[in-house]
């Protein structure tokens, strides 16, 4: 991961970046996606959940970029099932 992830309150997402082939790719994932996919409590900290699964998030971004997605990559629950 290139930069530290952070919560963007206005969009309800965790924003982060991933290094893909020597470039930084910006990405995000919704709090609700994290909560539903990983079955966390409603009051769970999304940054904690993200941190526990960061390798999976990075891999999902890399797959999306390899498939031709443009930046910024918005991960959805289906991206985590690959």
């Amino acid at each position: 991961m290139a930069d530290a992830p952070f919560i963007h309150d206005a969009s309800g997402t965790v924003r982060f970046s991933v290094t893909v082939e020597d470039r930084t790719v910006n990405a995000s994932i919704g709090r609700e996606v994290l909560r539903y996919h990983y079955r966390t409590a409603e009051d769970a900290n999304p940054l904690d959940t993200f941190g526990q699964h960061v390798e999976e998030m990075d891999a999902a971004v890399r797959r999306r970029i390899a498939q031709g997605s443009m930046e910024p990559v918005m991960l959805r629950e289906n991206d985590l099932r690959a």
Side-chain angles (χ1 to χ4, degrees), residues 18-78:
V18 178
T19 302
V20 179
E21 297 178 6
D22 296 325
R23 69 182 178 109
T24 300
V25 174
N26 294 312
S28 61
I29 186 165
R31 292 179 186 188
E32 298 302 316
V33 173
L34 290 168
R35 185 164 66 93
Y36 293 131
H37 185 74
Y38 296 108
R39 297 187 172 127
T40 62
E42 191 169 331
D43 62 348
N45 183 331
L47 281 178
D48 291 342
T49 305
F50 177 88
Q52 293 169 3
H53 304 280
V54 67
E55 294 86 11
E56 187 176 355
M57 306 299 154
D58 287 0
V61 170
R62 287 187 179 91
R63 280 193 303 274
R64 290 278 307 274
I65 292 295
Q67 294 168 354
S69 290
M70 295 179 62
E71 199 178 337
V73 175
M74 175 67 165
L75 294 180
R76 293 178 173 75
E77 190 168 10
N78 286 343

